[in-house]
Amino acid sequence: MPSRTTLLFLVLCVIWGTTWIGIKAGVEAVPPLLFAGTRFIAAGVLLLGFSTWREGWPRLAWRDLPRLAATSLLMITLCYAALFWGVAHVDSGTAAVLEMSLTPIALMAFALGLREESFDRRRLGALVLGVAGLAILFGPTALRNWSVTAGDGAGPRLAGAAAVSWAAVVYGWGSVVARPLLRLYSSTFVAAVTTLFGGLLLLGLSLAGEPGAIPALAGQWGAAAWAGWLFLVLFGSLIGYTIYMTLLREIGATRAGTYAFVSPIIAVLLGMVCFGEQIHLLDMLGMAVMLAGAGLAMAEPKPRLKPATN
């Protein structure tokens, strides 16, 4: 029977593999930063209320406030501001390859650099397989879209690709920075504080300079956008983000980050079921390689047998 950790990992993959539907419905009608900021603020308030009701207000040490602030800034504000801006200037295939492949790589790099984890050949092999699978699945589309429009707006596309890459890097950085907090406070409390303050900063950026943000505060978004927003608050943030924080604490950033090799598969399958999108043999090969990478990362290493003594 799958372990609790494996079940949480699978639930996270399914949830974050379906959030693109809510995001797509929202950003078509609402300025992206405003949409993301209000989503995280609502989730943060609900999580903070639930955490306080269930656990009481923790004895928060002043020395932990800078780390909480850094986690909020990195994982929510800087990540999503760069990601939404970048996706607006680069095609979805390129964005998928960059964001989904760089996130677990950044997680491993920062985990090793900040000495939260030690080097593991198994995890390195899992990353290689996962990135190879992503390249097989999304690479042809990204290269085709990039070459078709070569020379036409190359500057903004390069800037968009750099923004998406930066989003993956800061998310990995923030995840590793957050782990010491998860040894002191519950995953619900850390998720609540980071989403709330990160969302407030996003909202501030939106109102300060995002076109159409202030008129959109009236809430005339339409039923589809509001449904997407509610789905993202309840599932993407309240449940998904809290599970991710739990996995960060229990299995470390590198293994938790391999959700990036499974969630795209969920998204592709949903596209096939919901929108009639076709899946080709090369797509199935890419998904199989990605699943192999995730399986290798999540598999519990077998304990070494001690040599027999006479």
Side-chain angles (χ1 to χ4, degrees):
M1 183 176 178
S3 66
R4 171 180 172 274
T5 299
T6 301
L7 290 174
L8 287 175
F9 178 80
L10 293 175
V11 170
L12 177 67
C13 292
V14 171
I15 290 175
W16 280 0
T18 56
T19 52
W20 66 274
I21 299 176
I23 294 172
K24 184 177 181 181
V27 298
E28 288 179 350
V30 186
L33 295 187
L34 179 73
F35 188 72
T38 54
R39 157 205 173 180
F40 284 119
I41 291 170
V45 169
L46 291 173
L47 278 171
L48 194 59
F50 177 73
S51 173
T52 304
W53 171 74
R54 189 180 66 175
E55 305 160 359
W57 187 264
R59 298 179 64 180
L60 186 61
W62 286 101
R63 64 177 178 273
D64 295 326
L65 292 180
R67 187 175 290 272
L68 272 171
T71 301
S72 304
L73 184 66
L74 292 168
M75 292 189 71
I76 304 297
T77 309
L78 294 180
C79 172
Y80 282 89
L83 183 62
F84 278 126
W85 187 89
V87 168
H89 293 84
V90 73
D91 65 272
S92 59
T94 301
V97 171
L98 290 172
E99 203 257 336
M100 290 296 182
S101 61
L102 286 176
T103 294
I105 292 174
L107 285 165
M108 171 175 268
F110 282 112
L112 294 175
L114 297 176
R115 298 184 179 181
E116 280 292 320
E117 299 179 26
S118 57
F119 179 78
D120 187 331
R121 291 182 181 178
R122 173 191 294 267
R123 298 177 191 179
L124 179 61
L127 286 182
V128 171
L129 283 173
V131 172
L134 281 165
I136 294 171
L137 183 62
F138 295 110
T141 301
L143 290 174
R144 184 167 58 250
N145 291 340
W146 195 274
S147 61
V148 166
T149 57
D152 180 19
R157 289 201 315 280
L158 286 172
V164 172
S165 303
W166 169 252
V169 170
V170 295
Y171 190 81
W173 187 6
S175 296
V176 177
V177 168
R179 199 178 184 199
L181 294 170
L182 295 165
R183 301 189 188 106
L184 303 172
Y185 308 101
S186 72
S187 56
T188 306
F189 176 76
V190 176
V193 174
T194 53
T195 51
L196 177 57
F197 286 102
L200 286 170
L201 289 172
L202 270 177
L203 181 61
L205 287 175
S206 173
L207 297 177
E210 190 172 30
I214 294 178
L217 286 175
Q220 303 299 318
W221 298 355
W226 274 112
W229 184 88
L230 187 61
F231 177 82
L232 290 170
V233 169
L234 295 177
F235 291 94
S237 297
L238 260 73
I239 299 175
Y241 193 65
T242 304
I243 289 176
Y244 181 66
M245 287 293 181
T246 302
L247 292 173
L248 276 181
R249 181 183 63 219
E250 295 185 358
I251 63 176
T254 303
R255 293 175 70 196
T258 52
Y259 76 84
F261 301 146
V262 183
S263 291
I265 298 174
I266 305 295
V268 169
L269 294 177
L270 276 174
M272 179 185 68
V273 174
C274 300
F275 303 106
E277 297 176 357
Q278 294 184 346
I279 296 181
H280 303 287
L281 183 61
L282 192 63
D283 299 327
M284 291 189 286
L285 174 62
M287 289 189 286
V289 175
M290 289 160 66
L291 283 175
L296 182 62
M298 290 301 296
E300 295 290 345
K302 295 180 180 179
R304 295 182 179 179
L305 297 176
K306 295 181 179 181
T309 56
N310 295 328

